[in-house]
Amino acid sequence: IIYKITPAEDWKKAEKLGVFTGAPIDVCDGFIHFSTASQARETAAKHFAGQEDLLLVAVETENLGANLKWEKSRNDELFPHLYSVLPMSAILWAKAITVAPDGSHKLPLDSSQTDV
């Protein structure tokens, strides 16, 4: 399972289209950025600081095939990058990310899947 953090409004558009084509940064880079469970909190802090009305989308990697590549990125860690649109059939769930009083994001991840 990999995760995508996205504004809720962008996700609503994707649901209507039947595919997620990516955020502006994804389109610019030529692939959709994802994080693993252990990378998601840092991704939220680095790229979505101060933003509300976000969703965390869980994606089943088995449905993505050869278009999913694991490539070095931040801190030389391997990050999942999807070189195609994201089909709704690969989505396990999409849940709201809440903002804690200190401004940090509270991610809706099951504690058995991650340490964030």
Side-chain angles (χ1 to χ4, degrees), residues 24-82:
I25 188 69
D26 300 323
V27 173
C28 181
D29 288 347
F31 57 86
I32 300 175
H33 295 262
F34 291 91
S35 297
T36 64
S38 63
Q39 297 164 335
R41 181 172 299 287
E42 186 177 350
T43 296
K46 181 175 173 93
H47 299 287
F48 297 92
Q51 293 185 43
E52 296 186 11
D53 202 25
L54 297 171
L55 296 176
L56 184 69
V57 179
V59 177
E60 176 59 62
T61 60
E62 291 177 7
N63 297 329
L64 302 179
N67 290 321
L68 181 67
K69 310 285 185 206
W70 292 82
E71 299 173 316
K72 282 190 180 181
S73 188
R74 184 174 67 231
N75 302 324
D76 272 343
E77 289 183 55
L78 292 177
F79 278 75
H81 297 151
L82 181 62

